[in-house]
Amino acid sequence: LSARGIHTIAANYAGSSVLAAATSNTAFVNVYQPTNLDVTPASGIAGAPIPITASLHTVPGGSPVVGQTVNFAFGGVIGPLSALTDATGVATVMATFPNAGSFTTTTTFLNVAGFFADDGGNLVAETDNAAVTVGHAATSLSLTAPAAGLVSDPLTFSAVLARTDAPTGPVSGASVNFQLTSPSGLTILTGTTN
């Protein structure tokens, strides 16, 4: 059989000089297409969208399976996502992780009603896992301080913390340490970015 779906089978006998013609009952056979799902390891920067792709193909043959929903889960680190396969059998989602680290994405494909099976021909979800490596976003810290001051007068200085990886911009709510080194020793002060 070369196509998935419901196939009907019937038999008939034309008859002979001794036996009458006969027609059988009709049988229905559900034919399922086995599939293979392959998710690609991905990497990116925390706080920025990371493309994660999975390809869905027929087994055997390796032809792309088009227009089917592939689900992506991330172990609860972020919410699940889903995407349709394109003309090449590839589904792509954009996942944004709030923190750096190593994570796992689990992809699943299940469409028994559409006559698809897993790669073993079982009527269960076809799954695959891959690593997602999320790095720290690059930052810059610029200090503004006066060139001179007077003993016993207050000294005002500030720093601007900015994210230099997309999405770029100032970082608010972060703790910044200031180290003031003088002839009398080291003083450490802490401020919070606004």
Side-chain angles (χ1 to χ4, degrees), residues 33-63:
Q33 173 63 63
T35 57
N36 181 57
L37 183 62
D38 184 31
V39 62
T40 304
S43 62
I45 301 297
I50 300 171
I52 301 175
T53 62
S55 59
L56 184 64
H57 292 89
T58 62
V59 175
S63 298

Side-chain angles (χ1 to χ4, degrees), residues 9-186:
I9 302 172
N12 62 51
Y13 172 66
S16 69
S17 60
V18 177
L19 301 172
T23 301
S24 74
N25 59 308
T26 300
F28 298 93
V29 178
N30 293 330
V31 176
Y32 296 89
Q33 173 63 63
T35 57
N36 181 57
L37 183 62
D38 184 31
V39 62
T40 304
S43 62
I45 301 297
I50 300 171
I52 301 175
T53 62
S55 59
L56 184 64
H57 292 89
T58 62
V59 175
S63 298
V65 179
V66 180
Q68 298 296 315
T69 300
V70 175
N71 297 302
F72 297 74
F74 304 94
V77 175
I78 61 173
L81 300 168
S82 63
L84 291 176
T85 54
D86 63 15
T88 63
V90 173
T92 302
V93 295
M94 299 302 285
T96 302
F97 292 82
N99 300 308
S102 294
F103 307 99
T104 299
T105 180
T106 300
T107 54
T108 57
F109 168 67
L110 178 64
N111 186 358
V112 175
F115 299 96
F116 289 102
D118 74 351
D119 60 0
N122 304 300
L123 302 183
V124 297
E126 171 67 4
T127 64
D128 193 30
N129 298 312
V132 180
T133 304
V134 181
H136 289 90
T139 58
S140 67
L141 186 61
S142 60
L143 176 69
T144 302
L150 298 174
V151 172
S152 298
D153 280 354
L155 181 63
T156 301
F157 46 90
S158 64
V160 175
L161 178 63
R163 180 185 170 116
T164 57
D165 283 325
T168 60
V171 177
S172 62
S175 179
V176 175
N177 292 326
F178 296 89
Q179 297 179 2
L180 177 61
T181 305
S182 68
S184 61
L186 174 66

